[in-house]
Amino acid sequence: MKQITGKTKLLGVIGDPIEHSLSPIMHNAAIEKMGLDFIYVPFRVRDLKPAIAGFAAIDLQGFSITIPHKQAIIPLLSEITDAAKAIGAVNTVWKGESGWIGTNTDITGFLAPLRSHAPSVAVVLGNGGAARAVVAGCAELGCSEIHVVGRSKLQEFQAAWNLSALKTHTWDQLSDLLPHADLIVNTTPIGMSPNFDDSPITDHHAERIQENAIAYDLIYVPNPTRFLKQAQQQGATAIDGLEMLVQQGAAALEIWTQQEVPVEVMRQALQNHLGLAHSN
Ligand code: NAP
């Protein structure tokens, strides 16, 4: 067990609720492997402003932010990066010379498993918080068309972007979009544990998925989801949400420690915790 002393540096994650966060598992596994005298602690934060002031007072080195504070934290920071501005949310904060600096590593996390692919027509299912990172990621990939499918606040979503490739649609248009897509991303929680039998698409939709398409589900439990199984049956390549989770965490830990991060150790720690089979 790790020996905590007066010299141990503190990192953390804030959210409410926080007890289900997987971040302490992967970060502490990596910290141990790196031989660093750090500890990463979950904090249930209900009142954001005094918590952030307190973090400065106790010399916290940096922290992750999860629901519901990803947007609300922005006015409490001295600076945010272009990635955080594009998404309108911060998930990683570190200490700068004149205060806290915030960024969003979800784009890096989303893009990591797509490095060897070059999709041009993306269909994004859902238009909530994670969809914003996905749209920013698709724009960075150079997708010529990014079609976002949602059931509410579509005009608001479209207006938040100055992106000619982006178009928003209602779900009844999905059938027409799928045959042209080479990347289909589920950003809805449909199919997430314990609703293993649910999928954001019907079997009829699935038949319209191209054989050379990539189906990407941001959900990591179950693994694979029904959506990924439907796509695989059409010959499509499946990517699950675990890699995005690992890679957004690795990008954050690299910012805090300024060192190369053992990504495989983080991945294995999560796979062990979730009871998933190792892919290697
Ligand atoms: P969110 O902000 O609540 O967005 C969810 C989106 O799904 C919204 O557009 C919502 O529409 C839509 N939706 C929910 N239920 C639906 C239904 N029954 N039919 C149609 N649309 C529905 O949530 P989020 O933060 O973006 O997270 C979404 C998912 O991504 C979660 O499963 C989360 O665990 C996962 N995620 C994974 C990672 C990762 O690292 N792998 C990172 C972030 C998120 P309305 O707004 O109309 O309700």
Side-chain angles (χ1 to χ4, degrees):
M1 187 164 162
K2 180 180 171 59
Q3 186 72 47
I4 297 171
T5 71
K7 291 183 190 158
T8 305
K9 293 193 168 115
L10 200 56
L11 294 169
V13 52
I14 64 168
D16 184 16
I18 201 64
E19 59 264 35
H20 300 299
S21 173
L22 298 175
S23 295
I25 290 157
M26 63 174 169
H27 283 297
N28 285 316
I31 286 166
E32 188 184 344
K33 178 74 178 176
M34 293 162 86
L36 297 173
D37 192 8
F38 276 76
I39 185 126
Y40 183 100
V41 183
F43 297 101
R44 180 178 176 198
V45 168
R46 273 166 274 189
D47 198 352
L48 194 56
K49 204 170 171 182
I52 303 309
F55 285 164
I58 63 169
D59 203 25
L60 197 87
Q61 304 298 301
F63 53 97
S64 316
I65 301 103
T66 186
I67 290 168
H69 301 311
K70 285 184 173 191
Q71 282 98 26
I73 196 161
I74 293 176
L76 305 176
L77 305 173
S78 63
E79 198 180 321
I80 64 169
T81 61
D82 288 344
K85 280 181 200 154
I87 302 178
V90 163
N91 77 341
T92 302
V93 167
W94 70 95
K95 264 195 319 192
E97 297 207 337
S98 57
W100 297 112
I101 304 176
T103 192
N104 198 308
T105 62
D106 278 340
I107 305 180
T108 310
F110 168 69
L111 288 176
L114 291 172
R115 265 185 218 122
S116 54
H117 303 275
S120 64
V121 178
V123 169
V124 181
L125 308 176
N127 59 328
R132 300 184 60 81
V134 169
V135 167
C138 290
E140 200 168 310
L141 279 176
C143 289
S144 57
E145 296 177 34
I146 306 169
H147 300 280
V148 172
V149 177
R151 63 178 178 180
S152 66
K153 295 168 273 182
L154 285 171
Q155 278 183 349
E156 201 179 314
F157 189 90
Q158 173 90 49
W161 300 86
N162 183 15
L163 196 56
S164 57
L166 178 70
K167 290 196 171 47
T168 53
H169 308 265
T170 48
W171 283 87
D172 56 340
Q173 292 168 284
L174 181 59
S175 279
D176 295 335
L177 296 170
L178 286 172
H180 310 286
D182 47 19
L183 173 65
I184 306 148
V185 188
N186 177 32
T187 77
T188 78
I190 307 170
M192 190 161 77
S193 176
N195 302 314
F196 304 97
D197 294 332
D198 291 353
S199 168
I201 62 167
T202 62
D203 286 340
H204 173 69
H205 285 134
E207 285 165 15
R208 301 174 74 81
I209 294 177
Q210 292 185 72
E211 197 182 329
N212 63 349
I214 301 163
Y216 193 149
D217 202 332
L218 265 45
I219 294 171
Y220 39 87
V221 182
N223 189 326
T225 54
R226 170 135 192 263
F227 165 64
L228 290 185
K229 287 187 205 160
Q230 286 171 306
Q232 277 173 315
Q233 271 168 11
Q234 303 305 312
T237 302
I239 300 177
D240 63 65
L242 193 73
E243 197 56 20
M244 175 170 168
L245 183 67
V246 170
Q247 297 282 355
Q248 61 77 29
L253 193 57
E254 201 175 305
I255 291 171
W256 296 320
T257 64
Q258 293 293 300
Q259 291 188 29
E260 198 178 325
V261 168
V263 179
E264 180 56 24
V265 169
M266 299 176 86
R267 187 182 296 121
Q268 281 195 12
L270 285 184
Q271 285 174 331
N272 287 343
H273 179 79
L274 296 170
L276 301 172
H278 290 184
S279 53
N280 50 8

